[in-house]
Amino acid sequence: MPELKSNPKGVLEPYITTLQSESKLARKQAFQKINYEIFENPVNEGCDFTVIFPEIYAYVLKGFSDASEGCREMSILIISNFIEHLPLNDYYLTYILPVIVRRIGCAEIVEDSEEVRLLLIELVHKILIKYKNTQLLTSFFNDFTSILTKTSTDPFPKVKLEACECIILLSKIINREFHLQCESFIKPVLSNFAHQHFRVRVAAIRAIGAIVISGNAKCFELSITPMAEKLFDENTQVRLQVTLEVGNWMMKYKDRYSFWHRMIPLMLTSLSDVMADIRTTATKLWSDIGLQYMEENEEDLKKKLDFLKDVPTHYPDVKRPNFGCRCLIKRAAELFGYFITPETWWPLLEADVDSWPALTVIANILKGSKPDLVKGKVMKELCKELSDPDRCRVRKPKYQTNLVHVTEALMSLCGQDCAPVYEDLFIINFTVYAMPYDDKMQFMALSNLDKLRQLEDCGRTLTTLYDRHIRRILVDITSDALTWTLLTPDRCLLECVMLNAGYAMGSQLHLLAPLLRESLATPQVDPEVKLKVFTALSTVLLRRQTNFSKCDTDKLESFLNIVIEEIIVPNLVWAPGRTAEAIRTAAAACLCSALQDDPHTDLEDKGADGDANDKKVNLFPSKESLEPLLERVVPLVCGAADDNSALTRQHALRALACLATLATARGCFTPQLLHNMYFVVLKRLDDSSDKVRSFAVRTVRTLFSQRPRPYDTVVFGAHVDALYSAMLIHLDDPDEEFRKEMLAALIALSDVDPQLLIKKVKANIHLYRNKAAYESLSSHIENMLK
């Protein structure tokens, strides 16, 4: 047998031929043999790989797109071994990298195996490491960019990790050219900042750090805010990595002097982190940054260095930063609180409380202030200014953030001495909670509300806090609903009250009802607003056991009358157009929420303040309260069952079932009512929507299960005949699941008139295709009649 070093083509030719086989196993074994002969067979040790590669590379690279995952893995292994053994020459990369780009660097994922994608990105990593001390990779920068911008967003976390490591390497290897395409890496890498695995977040932060160091100012601008947000990450390693990267920027970023104001707040945040390791790291970095700043600006700072060398006698119990740090920070706002009284700083800042920088200063001054000096006039005037709707309803992120920080600082400083401004503090934080810039902002506001609850000592849940102050929120909703959009503060506040106030809204129904009437009963109100409010109203009605647990029966009845008569009923009336159709759907869903006899409630709803609540809330507790509703609503719901919208038809069928169940429980479900309903439902068995058909089966089953007893099948024989005829036809329906539902419904309703049903089954049994279903039904009825 020829040796590989003397005749590579002769040795490898049989395996190359086998690579054309249709057998996946044969091809995989051929790849294994090729790999063994070239890299593992001791007989072939010392071969010239530069001679072997041209003979084999085309067949191996073709294996990258083989249908077999095992073959693709082996072909990647062979190329990886070549990279390891071949000398440094960009000739080989001209064949390898374009193939990798086609597999994992295109807009759509071509390689569907996570493990193979990982092998490919590991191969890229190996190439970067092998060629890191050369200039040979520059011409392949576009290829690397395509691969790494795509793989950094790969669904497989391990691929993301490798991609981030490769980006860091690439930024160092092709440093001169990297800034030309640096911006294209930012968005893909930033998308990993919210990944559930903390290691992915850490890797992404490291990659962003490297991109910014080697990139341009635009990269910094795009990255600094997301990096700041990660300082509030729940994971310590993530926050530590942000601290390290920002510290590196402050020491090495070429344009750092232009961005001190953006970087210093991040470093200061790390200095006050809850974890000692992060504080220690940040302190060391901050000190090094200050010393470097002093060295770089020695001439400018020389005169100042000769003065103020001793620590002042009245100094906070902290280690004083070096002079460079003090120059960078320009002596911080918190320290003002130690040295300057509120009578001095409040008049200077009062006029600017509608700007976020002023709020930043105030929040920090409060941290260093004495409670006795703040809790009087300044506290009241500050809270009065900030609770003004023109200020606390601003949705700008920096303003909201600092608004929350000021109230947090004030509560921490003054504690229960905040009593005179409890309501103002509630209004500020509840408003931010109702209309936050993002989820983090909402969480911060919620935390402040809970802090306020503890200060007021009013109970164990936030509902107890809402019970004290929610009235003021509702009273302050004064704008015309015709002007509302989804972002209008009054709409956001109304929705937040409805979804979160719990039993606290029970005593405020007289304020809630007019707001609902104005926003839902007025035809010209923005349809999106109506849909949002309708959804919130549905939730209120579903959570009735909690929301109305402490409500007077008379007030609840009055509120419900307005909701049904003035809000739901008018919106169920048919009107042309898609907008009106969507509103009818929402109204029908809301009606279903009101009619459900015993809606599911979460565990946290089982009491007003964590205690057991035995009171049962019935929205229609008596026959007298339900009968007027039936008379008014049934014709409209029957009409809605024929609506253009499939979702409306579903809700209408649900509503009919709920009405029948309620009417039976209250003793007012008459045969006439049943007959008005069921025929409409039978028509929906032929509906174009499978979901509507399924609801129709369940509804007709409910209607006749709840039929008035006794039910005279002689007098109402035509109705029973129509019922059975329609249902029997659908036992031969093409949809198997629908046939099963129909059979179950027929079995359940066979007790209405079993004699008639067995007669109809036997009469046409020769025509049926679904023999098994008819035999099962016949057997059930015959057993009943025995």
Side-chain angles (χ1 to χ4, degrees), residues 544-545 548 551-558 560-561 564 594-597 615-629 661-668:
R544 70 188 66 147
Q545 300 303 332
F548 306 135
C551 182
D552 293 340
T553 304
D554 292 343
K555 288 184 179 179
L556 179 57
E557 189 173 332
S558 175
L560 197 62
N561 187 57
I564 298 292
L595 294 173
Q596 282 182 250
D597 195 30
K615 180 180 176 181
K616 172 81 171 176
V617 177
N618 288 315
L619 296 185
F620 306 97
S622 63
K623 179 179 180 181
E624 290 73 25
S625 65
L626 185 61
E627 278 185 328
L629 174 75
T661 303
L662 259 180
T664 301
R666 306 296 181 261
C668 54

Side-chain angles (χ1 to χ4, degrees), residues 343-364:
E343 286 77 12
T344 303
W345 60 258
W346 173 237
L348 296 173
L349 292 168
E350 183 177 7
D352 295 318
V353 291
D354 53 357
S355 69
W356 70 264
L359 293 186
T360 303
V361 173
I362 291 172
N364 285 288

